[in-house]
Amino acid sequence: MTRPLWAPPQLVDPDAEGCDPQWRRDLQQRRLRELVDRLLRAEGLQARRLRAAGVHAGTDVSLDELAALPTVRKADLWEHYPWGLLAARREDIVCFHGSSGTSGRPTLVPYTAVDIAVWAEVMARALGGGGADRSSVIQVAYGYGLFTGGQGVHHGGMRLGATVLPMSAGMTDRQLRLLADLRPDVLCCTPSYAIYLGEALRASGVAPGAASPIVGLFGAEPWTEGMRQQIESLLGLRALDIYGLSEIIGPGVACESLDSGGLLNVAEDHFYVEAVDNEGNPVPDGVAGELVFSTLTKTGMPLLRYRSGDIATLHPPSPESPRTLRRMGKLLGRADDMLVIRGVNVFPSEIEAVLLADRRVGPHYLIVEDRRVPTRPELRVAVEPMADTVDKDTLRDELVAALRRSLGVGCVVRVVSPGRLPRTEAGKTTRLERWSEDGREPSRWQELF
């Protein structure tokens, strides 16, 4: 029996999502000043930087002059680990989340009950934008634990009043069984795992859409329109992008909706966003820049002008949607993921877009920045064909030409047999490696080239 498609999604919180933009800007201004006052009272790193910039009260700042205020970076969180940027009393902290860092040093973020309520609110909006409501069943295949993915969707689903299935990542056989038994409306996981699940469904003989949700919210790693098409083909659903980072709140900072025109609605009443160039200067809408966030309502570890390292574009609200929120484009990548090959700047997402535009190419690939010979860096790309019947030599030659046209730099391309490239049953798939002359153990993928 064919499952019905949802009508255009209703607003979960019309007063927040669909209000007059000027009213929202006045709210943001008030909340910005309250944020600055909280930081000054906390007497920490951000307070010292604000006072050094001549800011002694919230009334000293305005949205129009925000770009002149100091920023915070992940290195500041590491330097003041674990409690240094706390702005609330320790007894008000109800949980920690975070992510792994260099040398085993994690990024830890303390949350108050107020923060959890904000997180649940923005995630409920994100799910609602995909058409979910109280009657929905939401299968959460993001990891739980310190990682914010699973817990964030869980909070939002319960806030929405939906039924949450907390599967966590992995256990693919069980995931498939419950997809078939409970017929969830919504699937939430990384795009890498969505591909893995789709291939597992196909291998089991289940037709796309026969035992899978209507919509999926996929995030925690950059992915392109080409990847969207692959996921939708494998799972027979509508694939939407969701964005977040633990330093700001977790998933729900921004999310694509069914009516957002392929861009992600930013929960800008809670997270004020800017885009800046390498020197920290604001860039116009539509121009790629590093996203900078101010957490207007957080209380545990509020951040003013946090430089995320994520590269994307910003855009005005969709004229086709009742949502009046500003939007962001899909992530192009991270500032530290940018590859510089013979003077040409390349993001991995640009390479993925070229690869997956070719219908002969499967969703699994590996990009290598090879600097083992410093004077002759190479960009290497390995792909799998969709089927063994694809002529590998022809595909290789045509991908080399397409990558040169798009990127302006030559690449070494290898087409390998299906099943040779990295896969994961949980979380994110490794799609980028960097090889250097520093004497480290060689990658197990070097044999591909």
Side-chain angles (χ1 to χ4, degrees):
M1 179 177 177
T2 303
R3 302 175 72 187
L5 294 177
W6 275 314
Q10 300 295 312
L11 304 187
V12 172
D13 186 349
D15 291 340
E17 299 175 86
C19 67
D20 178 77
Q22 185 57 52
W23 184 90
R24 183 184 295 114
R25 187 168 179 84
D26 293 341
L27 175 67
Q28 291 169 328
Q29 176 91 302
R30 183 170 71 253
R31 287 179 168 177
L32 172 66
R33 289 174 172 171
E34 292 170 352
L35 166 63
V36 168
D37 283 333
R38 284 199 301 279
L39 294 174
L40 290 170
R41 287 195 300 270
E43 294 293 348
L45 170 71
Q46 295 182 87
R48 294 193 295 273
R49 290 180 178 174
L50 282 168
R51 290 193 175 98
V55 175
H56 300 280
T59 52
D60 293 337
V61 304
S62 70
L63 290 174
D64 291 336
E65 299 170 344
L66 187 59
L69 297 181
T71 60
V72 182
R73 297 174 183 266
K74 180 168 285 192
D76 294 314
L77 276 64
W78 288 338
E79 184 177 347
H80 295 82
Y81 172 90
W83 294 100
L85 297 185
L86 181 70
R89 298 179 306 171
R90 291 197 186 188
E91 55 265 38
D92 290 333
I93 300 305
V94 297
C95 67
F96 275 94
H97 284 285
S99 59
S100 60
T102 58
S103 304
R105 177 175 49 180
T107 300
L108 284 182
V109 181
Y111 290 66
T112 65
V114 171
D115 300 333
I116 296 298
V118 168
W119 196 9
E121 176 186 334
V122 297
M123 268 308 309
R125 294 185 205 170
L127 291 163
D133 58 24
R134 287 179 55 83
S135 68
S136 298
V137 176
I138 301 169
Q139 185 156 333
V140 184
Y142 285 113
Y144 281 69
L146 275 180
F147 176 62
T148 55
Q151 201 69 52
V153 179
H154 196 118
H155 288 315
M158 294 184 67
R159 174 67 174 268
L160 190 64
T163 301
V164 177
L165 182 59
M167 289 297 300
S168 194
M171 301 178 294
T172 299
D173 288 344
R174 186 179 296 179
Q175 301 270 7
L176 298 181
R177 175 63 183 266
L178 292 180
L179 280 172
D181 292 349
L182 292 180
R183 303 298 297 275
D185 306 290
V186 184
L187 173 66
C188 298
C189 61
T190 66
S192 298
Y193 192 54
I195 291 285
Y196 192 96
L197 278 175
E199 291 179 336
L201 276 171
R202 184 172 60 186
S204 68
V206 177
S212 63
I214 299 172
V215 70
L217 269 60
F218 307 121
E221 60 184 354
W223 55 295
T224 62
E225 289 298 323
M227 184 70 76
R228 187 202 303 272
Q229 293 170 15
Q230 298 269 9
I231 292 171
E232 291 182 343
S233 175
L234 283 166
L235 290 171
L237 49 62
R238 178 77 179 273
L240 302 179
D241 198 354
I242 186 168
Y243 170 79
L245 58 167
S246 56
E247 299 94 314
I248 302 305
I249 200 75
V253 173
C255 190
E256 193 178 354
S257 60
L258 294 172
D259 58 357
S260 62
L263 302 175
L264 289 74
N265 305 301
V266 180
E268 55 172 333
D269 52 329
H270 292 290
F271 315 113
Y272 190 85
V273 63
E274 311 164 69
V276 302
D277 61 20
N278 291 337
E279 285 72 42
N281 301 311
V283 300
D285 282 359
V287 175
E290 180 182 356
L291 300 180
V292 179
F293 289 98
S294 295
T295 61
L296 300 178
T297 55
K298 278 187 71 179
T299 57
M301 194 184 77
L303 296 175
L304 177 68
R305 305 201 68 224
Y306 179 73
R307 294 193 65 155
S308 68
D310 291 331
I311 306 298
T313 54
L314 294 179
H315 303 266
S318 169
E320 308 298 326
S321 172
R323 291 169 177 78
T324 57
L325 299 162
R326 284 176 59 74
R327 298 171 296 163
M328 58 175 274
K330 292 178 75 66
L331 284 191
L332 297 173
R334 290 190 51 79
D336 50 9
D337 277 349
M338 186 175 71
L339 312 176
V340 183
I341 304 295
R342 298 186 291 278
V344 178
N345 298 341
V346 179
F347 283 107
S349 60
E350 296 177 284
I351 300 171
E352 179 183 292
V354 174
L355 300 179
L356 299 189
D358 192 312
R359 292 183 178 275
R360 296 168 296 178
V361 177
H364 303 287
Y365 62 87
L366 179 68
I367 301 167
V368 175
E369 181 188 31
D370 185 354
R371 295 188 177 276
R372 290 174 296 177
V373 180
T375 58
R376 197 177 70 248
E378 293 283 0
L379 184 59
R380 302 181 182 274
V381 180
V383 301
E384 292 180 8
M386 287 293 288
D388 280 324
T389 55
V390 171
D391 186 306
K392 295 180 180 179
D393 291 339
T394 300
L395 177 58
R396 177 200 62 210
D397 294 344
E398 293 180 2
L399 286 177
V400 167
L403 288 165
R404 180 178 289 278
R405 284 195 305 271
S406 178
L407 307 178
V409 65
C411 302
V412 176
V413 176
R414 294 289 182 268
V415 181
V416 302
S417 300
R420 291 286 308 281
L421 291 176
R423 284 164 169 75
T424 181
E425 193 181 358
K428 310 173 188 180
T429 296
T430 299
R431 293 196 177 96
L432 172 65
E433 284 204 350
R434 287 183 162 97
W435 299 346
S436 65
E437 58 167 353
D438 61 6
R440 292 181 299 179
E441 289 295 317
S443 165
R444 67 189 180 103
W445 304 111
Q446 286 186 16
E447 65 182 30
L448 297 176
F449 298 95

